[in-house]
């Protein structure tokens, strides 16, 4: 009976049993190796873009934001062991032969600015990959400080802001601009989508200098979409296609302040062109016409910031902020004398301007 319970291979001679056992192990290992290889191939074939490794060190995580020119992912720096934000710009932007150098120059300028109100830039470059047709595709990327919070755009949409918070948020934006302008960097794309409200109502402004590299690539569809999307906050000089300087950023900040106080933008229209036209040629009504809680002093600050003539605006972010805080306190400041006239930045030159 015991012999009947033996396994078939145990009834074979020992030499044959050993040979069969070795063959079985070899076949099993080979089968396992093949399955592992097939699985690895299937896994690589199904990798989505948010599972890629950028520049050999930044692992993409979940998508946390999307805009007209880019997508933002939470990521992880495998070399330094820290969580970061990774912005992938549209690959169409890299079709311009001059884009790479402009993009890198502006990213480097942004990386040199270190301040609590500015989102730090850690790295930037272009990731190369191969599409289904075997063509090399370049995707510009920016690695930034990951900030937990809400975009100011989302907070505006909730329509729950009071005047105190509005002034606090804009004051933070102006502090960031004061730092950037002193460093010689003009933002060019100040808008609620580029402002993050973090823990403790702290303000962080992002994408300094990047708009310069992108907007010069105006022949691409992605850049055109980006311009259309920000027309609501364009200065008159941007709408006309003129050169820009630091006061351009102050105009856009004035538009944000207007929207926070009035609960609506100063100009509306059916198209970006009609809105841009109003920024150039029409005077905005005072914010108090839409919100009776806005004081005459705050009205005056907003309308001065949005002057069509940049020489009539606040000349520095610091001056703007001081007048704003004084207006909130009900003690308006005397008009400050005009400073030395700034030289606008030409579109064909670098975005860096000489510090005052």
């Amino acid at each position: 009976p015991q012999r009947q319970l033996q396994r078939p291979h145990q009834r074979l001679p020992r030499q044959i049993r050993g040979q069969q056992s070795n063959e079985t192990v070899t076949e099993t290992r080979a089968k396992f190796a093949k399955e592992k290889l097939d699985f690895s191939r299937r896994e690589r074939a199904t990798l989505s873009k948010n599972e890629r490794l950028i520049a050999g060190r930044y692992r993409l995580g979940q998508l946390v934001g999307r805009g007209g020119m880019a997508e933002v992912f939470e990521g992880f720096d495998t070399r330094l062991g820290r969580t970061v934000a990774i912005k992938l710009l549209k690959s169409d932007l890299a079709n311009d032969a001059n884009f790479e150098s402009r993009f890198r120059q502006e990213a480097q300028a942004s990386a040199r600015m270190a301040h609590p109100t500015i989102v730090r830039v850690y790295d930037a470059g272009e990731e190369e990959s191969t599409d289904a047709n075997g063509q090399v595709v370049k995707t510009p990327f920016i690695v930034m400080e990951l900030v937990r919070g809400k975009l100011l755009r989302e907070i505006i949409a909730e329509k729950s802001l009071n005047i105190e918070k509005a002034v606090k948020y804009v004051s933070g934006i102006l502090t960031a601009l004061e730092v950037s302008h002193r460093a010689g960097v003009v933002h060019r794309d100040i808008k609620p989508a580029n402002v993050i409200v973090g823990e403790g109502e702290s303000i962080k402004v992002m994408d300094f200098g990047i708009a310069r590299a992108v907007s010069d690539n105006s022949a691409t569809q992605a850049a055109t979409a980006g311009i259309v999307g920000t027309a609501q906050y364009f200065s008159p000089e941007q709408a006309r296609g003129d050169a820009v300087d630091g006061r351009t950023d102050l105009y856009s900040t004035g538009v944000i302040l207007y929207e926070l106080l009035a609960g609506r933008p100063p100009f509306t229209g059916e198209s970006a062109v009609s809105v841009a036209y109003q920024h150039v040629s029409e005077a905005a009504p005072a914010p108090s016409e839409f919100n009776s809680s806005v004081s005459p002093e705050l009205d005056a600050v907003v309308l001065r910031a949005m002057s069509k003539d940049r020489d009539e605006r606040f000349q520095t972010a610091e001056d703007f902020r001081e007048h704003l805080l004084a207006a909130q306190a009900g003690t308006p400041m005397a008009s400050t004398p005009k400073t030395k006239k700034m030289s606008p930045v030409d579109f064909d030159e670098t975005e860096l301007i000489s510090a005052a």
Side-chain angles (χ1 to χ4, degrees):
Q2 291 180 349
R3 290 181 179 179
Q4 292 177 357
L5 296 175
Q6 287 179 337
R7 296 176 181 177
H9 75 271
Q10 289 179 324
R11 295 196 296 270
L12 297 174
R14 181 177 300 175
Q15 183 178 4
I16 298 177
R17 287 204 311 268
Q19 181 180 358
Q20 187 186 49
S21 178
N22 290 337
E23 289 176 354
T24 301
V25 171
T26 302
E27 291 174 357
T28 301
R29 287 176 176 173
K31 182 179 179 181
F32 177 77
K34 183 177 182 300
E35 289 177 351
K36 184 177 180 181
L37 179 61
D38 290 342
F39 175 79
S40 178
R41 286 173 176 171
R42 289 195 305 270
E43 187 180 34
R44 286 196 301 269
T46 58
L47 276 178
S48 63
K49 60 184 175 183
N50 63 332
E51 293 173 317
R52 293 188 344 224
L53 196 66
I54 301 296
R57 64 182 284 190
Y58 304 110
R59 190 175 303 280
L60 291 184
Q62 64 179 345
L63 179 70
V64 295
R66 179 182 283 114
M69 298 183 297
E71 293 179 329
V72 182
F73 297 84
E74 182 174 331
F76 185 75
D77 185 344
T78 60
R79 187 175 302 172
L80 297 180
R82 65 182 175 187
T83 304
V84 296
I86 304 172
K87 174 170 285 192
L88 299 182
L89 280 75
K90 303 298 186 184
S91 58
D92 290 346
L93 296 171
N95 292 337
D96 183 350
N98 296 321
F99 174 81
E100 184 175 0
S101 61
R102 287 197 308 267
F103 176 72
R104 185 172 296 277
Q105 180 185 24
E106 297 302 331
Q108 289 173 348
S110 300
R112 289 195 296 267
M113 297 186 297
H115 193 271
T117 59
I118 295 175
V119 175
R120 289 295 308 271
V121 174
Y122 298 136
D123 195 5
E126 290 184 342
E127 176 73 2
E128 292 188 357
S129 59
T130 305
D131 63 15
N133 299 321
Q135 300 294 320
V136 175
V137 178
K138 292 183 177 181
T139 303
F141 70 88
I142 309 164
V143 181
M144 308 176 294
E145 167 191 8
L146 179 65
V147 181
R148 306 287 184 183
K150 280 186 175 182
L151 291 178
L152 183 56
R153 176 180 62 188
E154 298 170 358
I155 294 176
I156 290 176
E158 294 172 358
K159 297 186 180 298
S160 60
L161 273 177
N162 56 39
I163 291 178
E164 182 180 358
K165 283 189 177 181
V167 171
K168 181 178 181 179
Y169 293 165
V170 172
S171 179
I173 296 172
L174 292 170
T175 299
L177 291 176
E178 180 182 357
V179 173
S180 72
H181 293 170
R182 285 183 177 178
V185 178
V186 177
H187 193 292
R188 292 173 56 128
D189 195 22
I190 291 293
K191 59 184 179 181
N194 279 336
V195 179
I196 302 174
V197 181
E199 296 178 357
E201 303 283 317
S202 61
I203 290 294
K204 291 271 191 179
V205 182
M206 59 183 172
D207 282 4
F208 276 93
I210 305 306
R212 161 66 179 178
V214 173
S215 62
D216 275 0
N217 192 17
S218 57
T220 69
Q221 181 178 358
T224 302
I227 290 173
V228 170
T230 57
Q232 188 67 66
Y233 305 93
F234 262 16
S235 66
E237 54 268 25
Q238 285 175 297
R240 290 192 299 264
D242 294 342
V244 301
D245 58 30
R247 294 167 296 181
T248 300
D249 289 342
L250 301 187
Y251 180 95
S252 299
T253 306
V255 176
I256 293 177
L257 177 59
Y258 187 107
E259 188 170 9
L260 292 175
L261 295 176
R264 50 153 286 167
F267 303 115
T268 58
E270 295 181 356
S271 67
V273 174
S274 70
V275 173
Y277 175 81
Q278 293 175 73
H279 277 291
V280 171
S281 60
E282 296 187 12
S288 60
E289 293 189 20
F290 306 100
N291 181 359
S292 59
S293 300
V294 177
S295 67
E297 291 83 4
L298 284 172
D299 272 343
V301 169
V302 173
L303 296 180
R304 179 178 174 186
M306 291 179 56
S307 295
K308 309 300 184 187
D309 183 348
R310 68 183 99 186
D311 289 335
E312 298 298 327
R313 300 172 199 159
F314 298 107
Q315 298 299 291
T316 66
E318 182 180 13
D319 190 26
F320 188 168
R321 187 180 63 250
E322 289 178 352
H323 279 76
L324 175 59
L325 295 176
Q328 182 193 20
T331 56
M333 298 174 59
S335 297
T336 53
K338 293 180 182 178
T339 57
K340 181 176 65 175
K341 186 175 181 180
M342 289 185 179
S343 298
V345 179
D346 188 81
F347 278 99
D348 296 326
E349 297 177 357
T350 176
E351 182 63 11
L352 301 180
I353 60 174
S354 58

